Amino acid sequence: MSNNDNFVNKLRSSGLRPTRQRIQLCKVLFDRDKTFHFTVENLAKMLKKNFDKKVSLATVYNTVHVLKNKGYLKEISINNKKTYFDTNISHHHHFFDENNNELIDLNDEDINSVQIKKTLPGRKIKSIEVLVKVEKK
């Protein structure tokens, strides 16, 4: 099965029509060897620069959120103004470089065991993902 077929299947299983623009968006997101961190705005700029046909910001925004809701992307909120998305949907930790606005993966072996001493009644911990914010000295 070709990558285009995989992209079409992802889009259809998410309830989206596999338009040329959405397939191009999937190529940028999933046709790569390494994890890809992005904001919707940065992804829209990449698409505008790399493809001849215009992709609207609304299409990018809606497609990204539908793919996230289907489980193909992970959302990482840095603060109330900045949200990143990650193509690596496994539970893992991140550095956030505040000077470069860059999200960097951390492996489990990079962090000692995290122990949470407080619990919330009627709830269980689903996952623990650490976000370490860094800046230049």
Tab-separated table of all heavy atoms in Angstrom, residues 27-58:
chain	number	residue	atom	x	y	z
A	27	LYS	N	0.956	14.296	3.879
A	27	LYS	CA	2.340	14.053	3.445
A	27	LYS	C	3.315	14.810	4.341
A	27	LYS	O	4.326	14.271	4.769
A	27	LYS	CB	2.538	14.468	1.983
A	27	LYS	CG	1.993	13.495	0.998
A	27	LYS	CD	2.245	13.981	-0.428
A	27	LYS	CE	1.585	13.036	-1.413
A	27	LYS	NZ	1.765	13.459	-2.803
A	28	VAL	N	3.001	16.067	4.602
A	28	VAL	CA	3.881	16.871	5.457
A	28	VAL	C	3.930	16.284	6.867
A	28	VAL	O	4.991	16.207	7.482
A	28	VAL	CB	3.421	18.345	5.489
A	28	VAL	CG1	4.170	19.133	6.556
A	28	VAL	CG2	3.608	18.986	4.127
A	29	LEU	N	2.792	15.848	7.385
A	29	LEU	CA	2.738	15.339	8.750
A	29	LEU	C	3.354	13.955	8.910
A	29	LEU	O	4.123	13.712	9.840
A	29	LEU	CB	1.280	15.270	9.233
A	29	LEU	CG	0.550	16.574	9.418
A	29	LEU	CD1	-0.878	16.305	9.858
A	29	LEU	CD2	1.259	17.458	10.423
A	30	PHE	N	3.001	13.029	8.022
A	30	PHE	CA	3.280	11.624	8.274
A	30	PHE	C	4.310	10.987	7.353
A	30	PHE	O	4.732	9.861	7.611
A	30	PHE	CB	1.979	10.818	8.192
A	30	PHE	CG	0.902	11.325	9.112
A	30	PHE	CD1	-0.268	11.872	8.605
A	30	PHE	CD2	1.066	11.270	10.496
A	30	PHE	CE1	-1.272	12.335	9.455
A	30	PHE	CE2	0.081	11.738	11.347
A	30	PHE	CZ	-1.092	12.271	10.827
A	31	ASP	N	4.734	11.665	6.314
A	31	ASP	CA	5.706	11.087	5.385
A	31	ASP	C	7.110	11.549	5.755
A	31	ASP	O	7.765	12.269	5.023
A	31	ASP	CB	5.364	11.481	3.949
A	31	ASP	CG	6.051	10.599	2.921
A	31	ASP	OD1	6.602	9.560	3.309
A	31	ASP	OD2	6.021	10.947	1.730
A	32	ARG	N	7.562	11.120	6.940
A	32	ARG	CA	8.861	11.534	7.463
A	32	ARG	C	9.379	10.467	8.420
A	32	ARG	O	8.609	9.660	8.934
A	32	ARG	CB	8.781	12.897	8.138
A	32	ARG	CG	7.706	13.022	9.186
A	32	ARG	CD	7.567	14.408	9.824
A	32	ARG	NE	7.218	15.451	8.907
A	32	ARG	CZ	7.990	16.524	8.676
A	32	ARG	NH1	9.097	16.702	9.309
A	32	ARG	NH2	7.611	17.445	7.813
A	33	ASP	N	10.664	10.502	8.679
A	33	ASP	CA	11.298	9.509	9.550
A	33	ASP	C	11.231	9.892	11.021
A	33	ASP	O	11.211	9.038	11.887
A	33	ASP	CB	12.770	9.305	9.159
A	33	ASP	CG	12.918	8.686	7.778
A	33	ASP	OD1	12.028	7.895	7.393
A	33	ASP	OD2	13.898	8.997	7.090
A	34	LYS	N	11.251	11.180	11.319
A	34	LYS	CA	11.305	11.644	12.710
A	34	LYS	C	9.987	12.264	13.136
A	34	LYS	O	9.185	12.693	12.318
A	34	LYS	CB	12.419	12.685	12.875
A	34	LYS	CG	13.809	12.129	12.776
A	34	LYS	CD	14.801	13.220	13.086
A	34	LYS	CE	16.132	12.617	13.452
A	34	LYS	NZ	17.036	13.610	13.965
A	35	THR	N	9.826	12.352	14.439
A	35	THR	CA	8.674	13.036	15.024
A	35	THR	C	8.616	14.467	14.509
A	35	THR	O	9.635	15.121	14.323
A	35	THR	CB	8.834	13.060	16.559
A	35	THR	OG1	8.826	11.732	17.038
A	35	THR	CG2	7.718	13.826	17.219
A	36	PHE	N	7.403	14.941	14.316
A	36	PHE	CA	7.202	16.294	13.818
A	36	PHE	C	6.326	17.046	14.803
A	36	PHE	O	5.217	16.630	15.116
A	36	PHE	CB	6.548	16.222	12.436
A	36	PHE	CG	6.261	17.552	11.797
A	36	PHE	CD1	7.225	18.543	11.722
A	36	PHE	CD2	5.016	17.807	11.250
A	36	PHE	CE1	6.957	19.761	11.123
A	36	PHE	CE2	4.734	19.021	10.642
A	36	PHE	CZ	5.707	19.997	10.576
A	37	HIS	N	6.852	18.155	15.344
A	37	HIS	CA	6.107	19.046	16.235
A	37	HIS	C	5.759	20.304	15.444
A	37	HIS	O	6.609	20.838	14.742
A	37	HIS	CB	6.945	19.446	17.445
A	37	HIS	CG	7.427	18.289	18.251
A	37	HIS	ND1	8.740	17.876	18.247
A	37	HIS	CD2	6.772	17.452	19.077
A	37	HIS	CE1	8.871	16.838	19.047
A	37	HIS	NE2	7.692	16.561	19.558
A	38	PHE	N	4.534	20.796	15.606
A	38	PHE	CA	4.131	21.950	14.814
A	38	PHE	C	2.962	22.668	15.474
A	38	PHE	O	2.236	22.101	16.287
A	38	PHE	CB	3.723	21.519	13.400
A	38	PHE	CG	2.526	20.609	13.379
A	38	PHE	CD1	1.247	21.119	13.210
A	38	PHE	CD2	2.670	19.245	13.549
A	38	PHE	CE1	0.140	20.290	13.213
A	38	PHE	CE2	1.568	18.401	13.549
A	38	PHE	CZ	0.298	18.923	13.378
A	39	THR	N	2.819	23.937	15.110
A	39	THR	CA	1.600	24.676	15.411
A	39	THR	C	0.787	24.696	14.113
A	39	THR	O	1.343	24.486	13.021
A	39	THR	CB	1.879	26.126	15.846
A	39	THR	OG1	2.490	26.823	14.755
A	39	THR	CG2	2.775	26.175	17.080
A	40	VAL	N	-0.495	24.948	14.217
A	40	VAL	CA	-1.338	25.008	13.022
A	40	VAL	C	-0.832	26.095	12.081
A	40	VAL	O	-0.757	25.899	10.865
A	40	VAL	CB	-2.821	25.229	13.412
A	40	VAL	CG1	-3.667	25.530	12.188
A	40	VAL	CG2	-3.359	24.009	14.144
A	41	GLU	N	-0.445	27.229	12.642
A	41	GLU	CA	0.031	28.344	11.821
A	41	GLU	C	1.310	27.977	11.074
A	41	GLU	O	1.459	28.295	9.888
A	41	GLU	CB	0.268	29.588	12.684
A	41	GLU	CG	-0.993	30.168	13.281
A	41	GLU	CD	-1.492	29.415	14.522
A	41	GLU	OE1	-0.762	28.581	15.097
A	41	GLU	OE2	-2.659	29.653	14.894
A	42	ASN	N	2.247	27.298	11.759
A	42	ASN	CA	3.497	26.895	11.107
A	42	ASN	C	3.241	25.862	10.010
A	42	ASN	O	3.866	25.904	8.954
A	42	ASN	CB	4.491	26.336	12.124
A	42	ASN	CG	5.053	27.406	13.016
A	42	ASN	OD1	4.974	28.585	12.723
A	42	ASN	ND2	5.605	26.993	14.141
A	43	LEU	N	2.336	24.947	10.261
A	43	LEU	CA	1.990	23.943	9.257
A	43	LEU	C	1.379	24.612	8.028
A	43	LEU	O	1.721	24.266	6.892
A	43	LEU	CB	1.029	22.905	9.851
A	43	LEU	CG	0.583	21.791	8.927
A	43	LEU	CD1	1.762	20.978	8.423
A	43	LEU	CD2	-0.417	20.891	9.650
A	44	ALA	N	0.504	25.580	8.234
A	44	ALA	CA	-0.112	26.299	7.109
A	44	ALA	C	0.955	27.028	6.288
A	44	ALA	O	0.902	27.020	5.050
A	44	ALA	CB	-1.161	27.281	7.618
A	45	LYS	N	1.943	27.623	6.950
A	45	LYS	CA	3.035	28.305	6.232
A	45	LYS	C	3.857	27.312	5.424
A	45	LYS	O	4.250	27.599	4.293
A	45	LYS	CB	3.936	29.051	7.222
A	45	LYS	CG	3.322	30.300	7.777
A	45	LYS	CD	4.244	30.957	8.792
A	45	LYS	CE	3.546	32.097	9.500
A	45	LYS	NZ	4.366	32.660	10.586
A	46	MET	N	4.130	26.141	5.997
A	46	MET	CA	4.887	25.109	5.278
A	46	MET	C	4.132	24.664	4.027
A	46	MET	O	4.724	24.504	2.956
A	46	MET	CB	5.135	23.892	6.168
A	46	MET	CG	6.159	24.085	7.239
A	46	MET	SD	6.334	22.604	8.257
A	46	MET	CE	7.054	21.479	7.076
A	47	LEU	N	2.843	24.451	4.169
A	47	LEU	CA	2.033	24.021	3.028
A	47	LEU	C	2.015	25.088	1.939
A	47	LEU	O	2.129	24.784	0.754
A	47	LEU	CB	0.610	23.695	3.479
A	47	LEU	CG	0.461	22.415	4.292
A	47	LEU	CD1	-0.896	22.374	4.981
A	47	LEU	CD2	0.661	21.183	3.428
A	48	LYS	N	1.894	26.336	2.347
A	48	LYS	CA	1.859	27.443	1.389
A	48	LYS	C	3.179	27.529	0.623
A	48	LYS	O	3.199	27.771	-0.580
A	48	LYS	CB	1.596	28.757	2.133
A	48	LYS	CG	1.456	29.955	1.232
A	48	LYS	CD	1.133	31.194	2.046
A	48	LYS	CE	0.970	32.389	1.131
A	48	LYS	NZ	0.645	33.601	1.860
A	49	LYS	N	4.287	27.304	1.331
A	49	LYS	CA	5.609	27.412	0.724
A	49	LYS	C	5.927	26.213	-0.177
A	49	LYS	O	6.565	26.373	-1.212
A	49	LYS	CB	6.660	27.529	1.835
A	49	LYS	CG	8.069	27.769	1.336
A	49	LYS	CD	9.026	28.076	2.464
A	49	LYS	CE	9.301	26.838	3.275
A	49	LYS	NZ	10.385	27.025	4.246
A	50	ASN	N	5.460	25.020	0.198
A	50	ASN	CA	5.888	23.799	-0.491
A	50	ASN	C	4.941	23.283	-1.564
A	50	ASN	O	5.315	22.389	-2.316
A	50	ASN	CB	6.128	22.686	0.531
A	50	ASN	CG	7.319	22.984	1.423
A	50	ASN	OD1	8.292	23.570	0.980
A	50	ASN	ND2	7.240	22.581	2.672
A	51	PHE	N	3.730	23.793	-1.638
A	51	PHE	CA	2.776	23.273	-2.604
A	51	PHE	C	2.182	24.399	-3.427
A	51	PHE	O	1.991	25.508	-2.937
A	51	PHE	CB	1.669	22.484	-1.893
A	51	PHE	CG	2.201	21.263	-1.198
A	51	PHE	CD1	2.353	21.237	0.172
A	51	PHE	CD2	2.580	20.141	-1.922
A	51	PHE	CE1	2.865	20.131	0.819
A	51	PHE	CE2	3.092	19.026	-1.293
A	51	PHE	CZ	3.232	19.017	0.077
A	52	ASP	N	1.881	24.080	-4.678
A	52	ASP	CA	1.416	25.103	-5.598
A	52	ASP	C	-0.025	25.548	-5.341
A	52	ASP	O	-0.375	26.680	-5.582
A	52	ASP	CB	1.560	24.622	-7.043
A	52	ASP	CG	0.824	23.309	-7.306
A	52	ASP	OD1	0.498	22.591	-6.343
A	52	ASP	OD2	0.583	22.990	-8.482
A	53	LYS	N	-0.847	24.666	-4.822
A	53	LYS	CA	-2.252	25.014	-4.601
A	53	LYS	C	-2.440	25.511	-3.169
A	53	LYS	O	-1.910	24.933	-2.232
A	53	LYS	CB	-3.133	23.800	-4.857
A	53	LYS	CG	-4.581	24.150	-4.992
A	53	LYS	CD	-5.336	23.083	-5.731
A	53	LYS	CE	-6.744	23.575	-5.938
A	53	LYS	NZ	-7.524	22.725	-6.739
A	54	LYS	N	-3.228	26.568	-3.019
A	54	LYS	CA	-3.434	27.172	-1.702
A	54	LYS	C	-4.265	26.251	-0.806
A	54	LYS	O	-5.238	25.654	-1.229
A	54	LYS	CB	-4.130	28.517	-1.863
A	54	LYS	CG	-4.285	29.242	-0.552
A	54	LYS	CD	-4.953	30.575	-0.717
A	54	LYS	CE	-5.088	31.176	0.667
A	54	LYS	NZ	-5.838	32.372	0.722
A	55	VAL	N	-3.847	26.167	0.453
A	55	VAL	CA	-4.591	25.440	1.479
A	55	VAL	C	-4.996	26.473	2.521
A	55	VAL	O	-4.138	27.143	3.098
A	55	VAL	CB	-3.731	24.332	2.124
A	55	VAL	CG1	-4.529	23.575	3.169
A	55	VAL	CG2	-3.183	23.376	1.070
A	56	SER	N	-6.287	26.612	2.758
A	56	SER	CA	-6.748	27.638	3.694
A	56	SER	C	-6.385	27.266	5.129
A	56	SER	O	-6.272	26.083	5.464
A	56	SER	CB	-8.259	27.838	3.576
A	56	SER	OG	-8.943	26.766	4.186
A	57	LEU	N	-6.211	28.289	5.953
A	57	LEU	CA	-5.915	28.074	7.367
A	57	LEU	C	-7.047	27.293	8.033
A	57	LEU	O	-6.804	26.435	8.878
A	57	LEU	CB	-5.686	29.415	8.075
A	57	LEU	CG	-5.289	29.343	9.544
A	57	LEU	CD1	-3.992	28.554	9.738
A	57	LEU	CD2	-5.147	30.741	10.119
A	58	ALA	N	-8.285	27.545	7.629
A	58	ALA	CA	-9.428	26.819	8.198
A	58	ALA	C	-9.348	25.331	7.881
A	58	ALA	O	-9.620	24.485	8.742
A	58	ALA	CB	-10.734	27.403	7.673
